[in-house]
Amino acid sequence: MKLTTAQALVRWMLAQRSETLDGREVPLFPGVFAIFGHGNVLGLGTALEEHRDEIPVWRGHTEQGMALAAVGYAKATHRRQVGVVTSSIGPGALNMVTAAGVAHANRLPVLLLPGDTFASRAPDPVLQQVEHFGDATATVNDAFRAVSRYFDRITKPEQLLSTLPQVARVLTDPADAGPVTLALPQDVQVETFDFPESLFAPVTHRPLRPRPDQRQLVEAAGVLRAARKPLLVLGGGVRYSGAGRRAVEFAERHGIPVTETTAGRTLVPHDHALFAGPLGVTGSTSANVLAAEADVVFAVGTRLQDFTTASWTVFSPDVRLVTLNAARFDAVKHGALAVVGDADAGLADLSELLESWVVTPGWTERAAIERGRWDAHIDGLRAYESGVPTYAQVVGVVNDLSEPRDYVMTASGGMPGELLGGWRATGESTMDVEYGFSCMGYELAGAWGAAMAHDGLVTTMLGDGSYLMLNSELFSAAFAGHPFVAVVCDNDGYAVIARLQEGQGGRPFNNLYADCRSGHAAPPRVHFAKHAESLGCAVFTATGLDDVRVAYAKAREAAVAEKRPAVVVVATQPNAWTEAGAWWEVGVPEHLAGRPAYDEAKPGQVRYLG
């Protein structure tokens, strides 16, 4: 078939199918987010227009926002569908690099198709082209190499024959999943080639379930059998495997208390007797207490980042670490006994080897006891008080009014600690806290993508700083007709960083508006309600906690009825937070008041658990 490079790429995308975790067949590439420029409008843009009835193309208003929406889509579909994002060369392409970092850190698949400079170099330098004096092959798209799981620059049409199978592999492999970047020079996009028809034959990508090596399983079973106080830690890999129920059954069969990481949050019903709460800095005291006592930690589907491990101080120095992970890269970290394989298959095989082995009842019961104490603490934080609401109180309202199939999101500032530590899950895999990259602005753009993918109502919770960082995709979602609720908590600046700064003894500086340089005695303020309304959103404002409940209930109704985002704006306290009592390592200068606490905590950091 004689096609342009762009036409062949679009036809190939249309031929790719995906099997969801519940067995349905869906398009692997359900849609394209596009902002066109001279580097992609006539090549890829024309090819997409030819198939406009087969693959939706959504217009965004920042390239970063579109790519973050694609990331949110991938998370909401448990990595079974992949958003495609295209931009022109230059600033449009570079705007997507941040979103590529988000996808890379969170192991989420997204296909980025930035235009590139002319492969022929005939018109060099073209508009938006940067020139490297010592390397004529370099373009701005080389910036994607550091944040792409797979990168290629297509300089001849026939290169698609070898690169597209690799693209599909990376986007669908549980061990390698992450962002793929195909840089497309604008002259190559329109070059033609006789492509074999077999390239466009339908292909269905099914969830891979590699089984662990039997010797690894036997060794892991031996370590668990010898444990007196084992702890099960569930991460995002359990979610992407669809192994949440298997993990709960494993815990029930063997009496092991369960905790969750950031990416694994809401895998376990909150009221389950074995649920000890979320682990780490933004987790719960209940889980951290058990982690400190555990003699064996069985970590499934997690890379154990610093917020989960409290910078590696949450576990006992004598703990034995066993990991089950589809990615060997993650499984072998920190001297762990590595079991490499699918979470669902691995848990099933390991449980059979353990047979009737059960943990001592006293340790099993500790999960409910410790979580009960944490629940009482959260109840106290949520308790009604007059005056300006806290984050914890606002989260409590949203939690109370949400349905089991609803989906809640956040990414940065103080809200991750409130959602992770305080949320009480009634539905499985119904939370997205982007805390791998903690990208300000993901809360709104990612919610657009999640709203496309999720069949329950999406609520995203964010601070005023994140709103100001990236809000243009509110209009994109309103224009496209994708409803969600955004709860914007205005606490007068970057309050959680002010908390870190001042909590370590630093002087208030450049975080809260009151501590920033301004040329005005009375600096201007953003009217968030009017701004959101101007972007096409339904808007509701609240002052006290009762107002928040009424406003959020109305916003839920309006979002669904009017098919557009509904924004709730509420002023919140800047200095009231949910604390899990765990340490987080940050660099503290010797002259600050926080340095003695740093020096005391640092020796307790476990560096290697082998």
Side-chain angles (χ1 to χ4, degrees):
M1 301 177 67
K2 189 169 186 177
L3 301 168
T4 68
T5 303
Q7 287 174 321
L9 177 57
V10 172
R11 283 177 179 259
W12 176 82
M13 289 193 298
L14 289 170
Q16 308 306 301
R17 308 288 292 175
S18 177
E19 185 180 282
T20 64
L21 293 172
D22 59 3
R24 293 177 296 111
E25 187 174 295
V26 295
L28 178 62
F29 302 106
V32 178
F33 298 92
I35 293 178
F36 293 127
H38 69 90
N40 65 343
V41 65
L42 296 177
L44 190 58
T46 299
L48 287 168
E49 190 280 330
E50 292 170 351
H51 296 277
R52 63 189 305 167
D53 295 331
E54 299 165 77
I55 184 167
V57 176
W58 304 106
R59 173 196 164 116
H61 293 85
T62 65
E63 291 84 0
Q64 179 183 335
M66 294 192 307
L68 289 175
V71 173
Y73 195 105
K75 182 69 175 282
T77 60
H78 312 308
R79 301 198 304 200
R80 300 314 305 155
Q81 290 185 283
V82 181
V84 183
V85 193
T86 181
S87 75
S88 185
I89 184 61
L94 286 180
N95 281 346
M96 297 194 295
V97 172
T98 296
V102 172
H104 197 284
N106 290 281
R107 316 293 170 83
L108 291 169
V110 60
L111 178 57
L112 304 174
L113 303 176
D116 211 328
T117 55
F118 280 71
S120 69
R121 302 186 194 165
D124 283 10
V126 297
L127 178 67
Q128 299 180 322
Q129 178 178 346
V130 300
E131 297 176 277
H132 294 261
F133 295 177
D135 185 355
T137 68
T139 79
V140 297
N141 285 337
D142 289 287
F144 284 99
R145 293 180 184 272
V147 287
S148 295
R149 192 72 73 193
Y150 183 83
F151 177 93
D152 198 1
R153 177 175 282 112
I154 307 301
T155 58
K156 297 292 291 182
E158 54 266 41
Q159 289 173 353
L160 290 181
L161 299 176
S162 61
T163 203
L164 290 180
Q166 300 302 329
V167 170
R169 172 187 64 83
V170 173
L171 294 175
T172 61
D173 192 311
D176 289 345
V180 170
T181 301
L182 291 185
L184 302 173
Q186 62 171 298
D187 52 343
V188 178
Q189 289 180 44
V190 300
E191 287 183 17
T192 58
F193 179 75
D194 289 327
F195 288 93
E197 291 187 13
S198 56
L199 180 65
F200 314 116
V203 176
T204 300
H205 303 274
R206 295 180 171 86
L208 298 177
R209 300 204 179 278
R211 304 199 88 88
D213 180 83
Q214 187 68 18
R215 291 167 297 181
Q216 292 179 336
L217 287 168
V218 169
E219 189 173 359
V223 171
L224 283 169
R225 281 182 177 277
R228 294 179 300 103
K229 296 181 177 182
L231 186 67
L232 180 60
V233 180
L234 305 182
V238 177
R239 171 179 180 162
Y240 303 135
S241 170
R245 293 180 184 177
R246 176 83 68 184
V248 171
E249 291 169 359
F250 179 91
E252 291 171 342
R253 180 174 181 180
H254 305 294
I256 305 177
V258 186
T259 69
E260 297 171 332
T261 72
T262 299
R265 198 67 174 88
T266 68
L267 283 165
V268 184
H270 178 78
D271 59 359
H272 195 286
L274 289 171
F275 183 52
L279 184 65
V281 178
T282 50
S284 60
T285 301
S286 53
N288 294 342
V289 165
L290 266 67
E293 296 183 28
D295 57 354
V296 172
V297 169
F298 183 25
V300 184
T302 171
R303 62 195 182 108
L304 293 173
Q305 58 118 313
D306 68 334
F307 262 76
T308 296
T309 65
S311 297
W312 287 97
T313 63
V314 77
F315 302 127
S316 163
D318 300 321
V319 74
R320 186 70 192 275
L321 179 62
V322 180
T323 58
L324 170 59
N325 205 296
R328 185 169 180 81
F329 179 89
D330 292 314
V332 303
K333 289 177 178 176
H334 305 289
L337 169 57
V339 180
V340 181
D342 172 68
D344 191 76
L347 286 169
D349 290 349
L350 185 57
S351 190
E352 288 302 310
L353 286 175
L354 290 171
E355 299 176 327
S356 59
W357 170 77
V358 179
V359 176
T360 303
W363 176 247
T364 300
E365 294 162 4
R366 283 286 301 283
I369 293 170
E370 295 296 339
R371 201 200 69 240
R373 292 171 180 162
W374 179 252
D375 286 350
H377 174 65
I378 296 298
D379 286 341
L381 296 179
R382 289 183 174 186
Y384 177 79
E385 293 180 5
S386 59
V388 179
T390 66
Y391 270 25
Q393 291 170 336
V394 175
V395 167
V397 168
V398 174
N399 202 168
D400 289 344
L401 296 180
S402 292
E403 301 291 336
R405 281 298 303 153
D406 289 351
Y407 194 78
V408 65
M409 304 176 60
T410 195
S412 60
M415 194 56 75
E418 306 300 324
L419 275 184
L420 291 169
W423 191 264
R424 295 170 178 174
T426 57
E428 183 182 337
S429 297
T430 52
M431 179 181 288
D432 175 8
V433 175
E434 193 289 286
Y435 223 42
F437 218 51
S438 188
C439 181
M440 295 181 73
Y442 174 80
E443 296 95 335
L444 295 175
W448 180 27
M452 294 183 186
H454 194 74
D455 58 5
L457 181 65
V458 173
T459 293
T460 184
M461 305 188 71
L462 65 156
D464 51 300
S466 281
Y467 182 96
L468 290 174
M469 194 74 71
L470 189 64
N471 51 57
S472 55
E473 303 324 312
L474 279 173
F475 177 70
S476 300
F479 185 89
H482 296 124
F484 60 87
V485 178
V487 180
V488 180
C489 297
D490 182 3
N491 56 19
D492 280 343
Y494 303 138
V496 76
I497 295 300
R499 165 201 185 192
L500 174 62
Q501 182 183 59
E502 297 172 44
Q504 297 297 324
R507 296 177 181 175
F509 178 62
N510 205 51
N511 287 312
L512 295 179
Y513 289 124
D515 305 318
C516 298
R517 181 187 295 273
S518 173
H520 303 275
R525 299 298 305 276
V526 177
H527 198 301
F528 292 102
K530 289 182 179 179
H531 186 270
E533 185 178 20
S534 75
L535 293 176
C537 302
V539 177
F540 305 86
T541 58
T543 51
L545 200 58
D546 288 337
D547 290 343
V548 175
R549 185 174 296 274
V550 172
Y552 180 64
K554 290 181 177 178
R556 292 174 59 88
E557 295 175 0
V560 175
E562 301 173 23
K563 294 182 64 176
R564 58 174 176 158
V567 176
V568 176
V569 180
V570 55
T572 52
Q573 294 185 26
N575 51 12
W577 310 101
T578 299
E579 301 276 3
W583 184 63
W584 181 40
E585 182 173 8
V586 294
V588 183
E590 291 187 358
H591 69 279
L592 292 186
R595 183 57 186 239
Y598 174 92
D599 292 336
E600 181 181 355
K602 181 69 175 175
Q605 190 173 49
V606 179
R607 299 300 301 274
Y608 196 79
L609 298 175

